[in-house]
Every structure is written in structure tokens, then in C-alpha cells.
Amino acid sequence: MSVISSGPGDIVIRILLMGRCGSWKSSSGNTILRERKCEEHESEICEGKTQIDEKQVYVIDSPDLLDPDLNKEQQEMMKEQLVSQCSAGLSVVLLTVSLEKPVQNEEEILDYMKCLFGPEVQKYIMILFTCGDELEDLDQTIDEHLKHKDHRDLQRLVTECGGHFHVFNNKINSDDQIQELLQKIEGMMKENRGKFIMGQRRRRRSKANIVNFSAEDPNEADIDPEKKDQTRLVLLRENITVKSATGNRNLFESSVGWASGWVKRSS
């Protein structure tokens, strides 16, 4: 379970960058930080902070956790680190999508984030289109680009993220594009009444390679335990789809009441 906390007027902005390799994700983080802090193909989480006007801006640059070159141990280690480093809350999750390359596994990344942080994180995801100079070469605005019939995959991503998006030209140093991004982030926080805060999560792994996330919201202490406890069973494979696992409930009995949902990636 995820809960929302802190006010929209908070002067601390915490940004998580996620995206596939080659999406100019780390370059975008460096643009926000105004220094070369992270490298595009690093296999470790990179953090940085900067002061913009009266705001403290923290950037967490996550490697592509769905990179096929990562082994299972690396994925598990980075996943644990990411959850830990995001525990203080997030103002926004920026999913970087390059305008110079076709859409690939971005929808899988969206599903992965919802599995990792909980479905409430969906409200905090914004598409950050990179390589905005491509639009200048095409003499198009981003709205014109998205409306083109050949870009329905981009339209679908934006729709799934509630229409929230921004464009970066990664080849120029412009404070305007950073300020505009921060304004959009603050608008999203106001809309959501604060930051995204994860509930406490306990992870267990079964012999069937199922990652089990359970969460308890401290604000629900007085609620009937049978209704309070939830367990999300996640099977991470190749392509993520969602299906019910109610029929398998008896296989995973424990001392708490179960509300089971499966996120399965079909091979």
C-alpha cells in the first residue's frame, strides 16, 4: 500500500529518473543538476542534489532494471537499493523516452514501477521526452508530434501517465526548461496533495521465484486485520501482464488475511 504525505508547498523536490538504456536518462539528470554527475550506461544508482532558487532538488538516476544484460543478483541488489533510496518520498517519477528512437519496453517499465512501488505511484509518473532538438529539425511542436498517426505508441504512454509530460533538449543548457519542469512537478504534487510515500514493505521469496510484497499503513492500525493486510505477488519475467490469482490463494496461506493479485510476465 502507498500513502500520500507532505504538502505541495514543500521546498524539497525529489526526482526519480527511470528509462531504458540510450534514452538520455542520465543526461537529463545531469541537465537538472547542472553538472556531469551520472553516466548514461552506469549499472549503479546515481544520486545528486542541487539548489534551484529556494528549492532543494534531489535526483535519483536508476539503471534500466529490465536490462537483459543484468543478472538476477544485480537486479535484486539494485531493486533493494532503489526502494531504500526512495523511502524518503518522491515528488515525481520521470520516465525518459527519446524522440529519436522508437518506443521499446517503456510500458514494461511502467508496469515494473507499479509492481515495485505500488499502484499509487501511477499518479506521480511523468513522461520526459528527450532529444527535443528533433522537433526543431521536424519544425513541429510536441503536441503536433504526438498527434501524428505514426506516434500512437507515444500517445498511449502519455495517456497512461495522466497526460503529464515534458520535453528536454539535452544539447543545450537552458534554465527555462528546468524551471518549467519544476513547475509541472509542483502542479502534480498539488494535484496529488503531496509527495508519494511508500508504505513499509516486507519482501519474501518463494521457491517459485515469486517476489512477495506486503505493506502495512500505520494510519490503518484500527482497521480489522483481515481487511488491512494485503500481499502483492509479483512474478517478473519478460512481458508484464495482469491476471487474478484468487484460485491459488490456498497455496500461500499465512497468519494474515490475503488479498492476492498477480503481475505476471509471460515468457
Side-chain angles (χ1 to χ4, degrees):
M1 177 177 289
S2 306
V3 296
I4 299 171
S5 179
S6 86
D10 198 335
I11 61 172
V12 177
I13 304 294
R14 296 183 60 85
I15 298 171
L16 171 62
L17 283 163
M18 297 196 76
R20 60 187 175 88
C21 293
S23 65
W24 291 71
K25 173 176 54 63
S26 298
S27 176
S28 298
N30 293 336
T31 296
I32 297 169
L33 293 170
R34 298 166 174 169
E35 65 171 314
R36 191 177 181 86
K37 183 78 174 179
C38 305
E39 298 296 330
E40 194 67 31
H41 296 286
E42 276 190 5
S43 58
E44 297 180 355
I45 295 171
C46 176
E47 283 188 298
K49 66 178 180 178
T50 188
Q51 181 90 16
I52 301 179
D53 295 333
E54 297 181 354
K55 300 179 181 66
Q56 284 284 338
V57 179
Y58 290 81
V59 174
I60 303 170
D61 179 14
S62 170
D64 182 358
L65 298 181
L66 298 183
D67 185 345
D69 292 334
L70 294 177
N71 59 44
K72 186 178 293 185
E73 290 74 20
Q74 288 174 312
Q75 288 179 331
E76 287 298 311
M77 180 183 67
M78 288 193 295
K79 187 165 60 178
E80 293 289 347
Q81 290 176 349
L82 185 61
V83 169
S84 175
Q85 288 172 282
C86 294
S87 61
L90 294 170
S91 304
V92 68
V93 178
L94 294 179
L95 176 61
T96 54
V97 179
S98 173
L99 290 173
E100 65 178 5
K101 295 180 180 179
V103 169
Q104 292 186 14
N105 67 339
E106 280 82 359
E107 289 190 351
E108 288 184 37
I109 295 174
L110 285 175
D111 287 333
Y112 189 96
M113 285 190 284
K114 286 182 281 186
C115 293
L116 189 60
F117 296 119
E120 197 73 20
V121 76
Q122 177 91 21
K123 299 177 182 178
Y124 292 82
I125 300 174
M126 181 186 298
I127 303 296
L128 179 61
F129 290 114
T130 60
C131 303
D133 52 292
E134 288 289 308
L135 298 174
E136 296 179 11
D137 295 340
L138 296 170
D139 194 25
Q140 289 182 336
T141 66
I142 184 60
D143 291 322
E144 291 170 341
H145 190 74
L146 292 175
K147 288 177 182 178
H148 196 280
K149 63 180 181 180
D150 292 338
H151 301 140
R152 288 173 183 163
D153 47 359
L154 298 179
Q155 297 171 21
R156 187 167 56 249
L157 280 175
V158 170
T159 299
E160 191 168 349
C161 295
H164 299 295
F165 68 89
H166 188 60
V167 181
F168 260 9
N169 183 337
N170 300 88
K171 294 183 178 180
I172 63 172
N173 293 320
S174 169
D175 287 343
D176 290 343
Q177 63 182 357
I178 300 173
Q179 291 286 358
E180 186 179 349
L181 172 63
L182 294 181
Q183 288 173 8
K184 289 181 179 180
I185 292 172
E186 289 180 295
M188 177 182 284
M189 291 173 62
K190 184 175 181 180
E191 180 182 318
N192 292 322
R193 298 183 180 181
K195 287 191 180 76
F196 169 77
I197 305 291
M198 288 182 294
Q200 276 192 323
R201 293 182 180 276
R202 297 191 305 271
R203 194 192 63 178
R204 305 168 190 151
R205 179 178 293 278
S206 76
K207 294 181 180 180
N209 290 327
I210 296 173
V211 181
N212 180 346
F213 291 105
S214 66
E216 294 181 3
D217 185 347
N219 295 323
E220 295 180 350
D222 297 328
I223 298 177
D224 185 346
E226 292 185 0
K227 296 181 180 179
K228 178 181 68 176
D229 294 304
Q230 290 189 349
T231 297
R232 175 177 298 273
L233 300 176
V234 181
L235 181 57
L236 297 175
R237 292 250 239 253
E238 184 92 325
N239 299 313
I240 297 178
T241 58
V242 179
K243 65 181 284 188
S244 169
T246 305
N248 296 320
R249 182 174 183 174
N250 293 330
L251 296 177
F252 302 97
E253 288 290 348
S254 74
S255 60
V256 299
W258 295 89
S260 299
W262 286 66
V263 178
K264 182 176 180 181
R265 303 178 67 193
S266 60
S267 57

